[in-house]
Amino acid sequence: MKKLFSVLLTVALVAMLGAVVFAANPDTKFKAVNGTAVVDGVKDEIYTVADAIPVAVTDSGEMAGTAVVYAAWDDTNMYYFFEVTDPTVTPADLCTSDYLSDSVETYFSFAGYTDDITTINAGQYTVGPNFTAWAGRGGHWDAYNAESKWAFVMTDKGWDMEMSIPFGADYKVAAGNEIPFTIAFNDDSDGDAERNYQPMISEGQSNAWSVVDDTYNTLIFSDIKFEPIVEETPAEEAPAAEAPAEEAPAAETVAEAPAAPAPAAQTGDSTWLLLMAGSGALVTPIVVYTTMKKKRK
Ligand SMILES: [Ca+2]
Ligand SMILES: [Ca+2]
Ligand SMILES: [Ca+2]
């Protein structure tokens, strides 16, 4: 009985282990968004709705920096935007314009999986800050690197890189298409133009430059688009009924100078016509004649 239990337990354990399936790298898929980016090293809004692709797994070496990548596509190009955290950057005067200096790499295949990227429509596009030209490999790279563009901007935490790569004549892109791809960051972590380590998206991708195999991940050309938030403009308001003219604020009461005493109302009775005649001591009221005469009327 004890033995039977032990056998059953073993069978159960084997069954459980068999159920543990590790996801193959192609099952790790990332969505590129549909839209056109400006290749200037500045992050376009369209990337904000793309999947953030982490480039932070290395088969060897101790990482000092990592990258996060966003992808987009339109009818003619793929776009990639790399935010690279990199405390020490290969100086421009030492930069070798290849994978040994700080750089990022985009790998993809438009021809499925095959052993040698140089014989198929696939590419490895490598570029970094201060490069004078692309580096790379592959049938697609040979045909289209001259039409591809890149631009970088140094940042507080390292540098940002942006690239556009044309699909080319032999690949027809459509929403929902999936391709094998991966990304690498070649980090020269001490600034001597010798790569110290190479983080990528998933484990086992260090031969991506040579072979398109199932160590690659998958990129989806999704129909997700960036929708700018349009602030609703309030309908033009009918002009408000004319507001009553605001009353002029009462003029501040200024202490008025005391009015000069009003002249005493004159009455007929008090109308005296003084005719002054003469001068000095000789002023003599001559007559009050007018009033008196009036009265007599
Ligand atoms: Ca841009
Ligand atoms: Ca570096
Ligand atoms: Ca180095």
Side-chain angles (χ1 to χ4, degrees), residues 145-207:
N145 76 78
E147 293 174 40
S148 301
K149 296 175 185 168
W150 54 276
F152 71 96
V153 169
M154 302 308 293
T155 66
D156 289 346
K157 61 179 184 176
W159 40 281
D160 290 348
M161 176 65 74
E162 189 167 25
M163 56 173 80
S164 68
I165 299 172
F167 287 110
D170 297 329
Y171 179 74
K172 186 65 195 156
V173 70
N177 284 14
E178 298 184 1
I179 59 167
F181 97 114
T182 187
I183 303 283
F185 164 33
N186 301 309
D187 190 6
D188 164 21
S189 57
D190 52 7
D192 63 354
E194 288 291 336
R195 183 177 73 189
N196 294 85
Y197 66 94
Q198 184 189 45
M200 297 184 72
I201 301 172
S202 300
E203 285 182 2
Q205 297 183 326
S206 54
N207 286 324

Side-chain angles (χ1 to χ4, degrees), residues 44-265:
D44 299 66
E45 284 181 312
I46 60 168
Y47 296 118
T48 60
V49 290
D51 282 345
I53 304 168
V55 181
V57 172
T58 183
D59 290 341
S60 63
E62 192 178 327
M63 284 194 293
T66 56
V68 178
V69 182
Y70 304 88
W73 65 282
D74 60 18
D75 289 344
T76 50
N77 291 290
M78 298 188 285
Y79 304 90
Y80 294 89
F81 189 84
F82 306 75
E83 290 174 344
V84 183
T85 300
D86 186 8
T88 305
V89 180
T90 312
D93 59 344
L94 295 182
C95 180
T96 53
S97 295
D98 62 21
Y99 71 96
L100 293 173
S101 295
D102 275 316
S103 51
V104 285
E105 304 194 60
T106 297
Y107 308 80
F108 61 91
S109 169
F110 291 145
Y113 300 93
T114 191
D115 283 346
D116 183 354
I117 73 168
T118 63
T119 60
I120 59 168
N121 191 13
Q124 171 200 19
Y125 283 73
T126 306
V127 74
N130 308 314
F131 271 39
T132 52
W134 288 107
R137 291 179 94 240
H140 189 280
W141 189 84
D142 292 339
Y144 294 104
N145 76 78
E147 293 174 40
S148 301
K149 296 175 185 168
W150 54 276
F152 71 96
V153 169
M154 302 308 293
T155 66
D156 289 346
K157 61 179 184 176
W159 40 281
D160 290 348
M161 176 65 74
E162 189 167 25
M163 56 173 80
S164 68
I165 299 172
F167 287 110
D170 297 329
Y171 179 74
K172 186 65 195 156
V173 70
N177 284 14
E178 298 184 1
I179 59 167
F181 97 114
T182 187
I183 303 283
F185 164 33
N186 301 309
D187 190 6
D188 164 21
S189 57
D190 52 7
D192 63 354
E194 288 291 336
R195 183 177 73 189
N196 294 85
Y197 66 94
Q198 184 189 45
M200 297 184 72
I201 301 172
S202 300
E203 285 182 2
Q205 297 183 326
S206 54
N207 286 324
W209 61 275
S210 170
V211 178
V212 181
D213 60 17
D214 63 5
T215 64
Y216 273 53
N217 303 111
T218 299
L219 184 68
I220 304 170
F221 297 118
S222 83
D223 58 5
I224 295 170
K225 291 179 194 289
F226 172 73
E227 303 286 352
I229 298 169
V230 179
E231 292 214 0
E232 250 179 63
T233 312
E236 197 149 316
E237 284 180 28
E242 204 156 308
E246 198 155 313
E247 281 182 29
E252 203 159 311
T253 309
V254 177
E256 279 180 31

Side-chain angles (χ1 to χ4, degrees), residues 37-44 47 81 162:
V38 178
V39 182
D40 56 2
V42 178
K43 190 177 183 180
D44 299 66
Y47 296 118
F81 189 84
E162 189 167 25

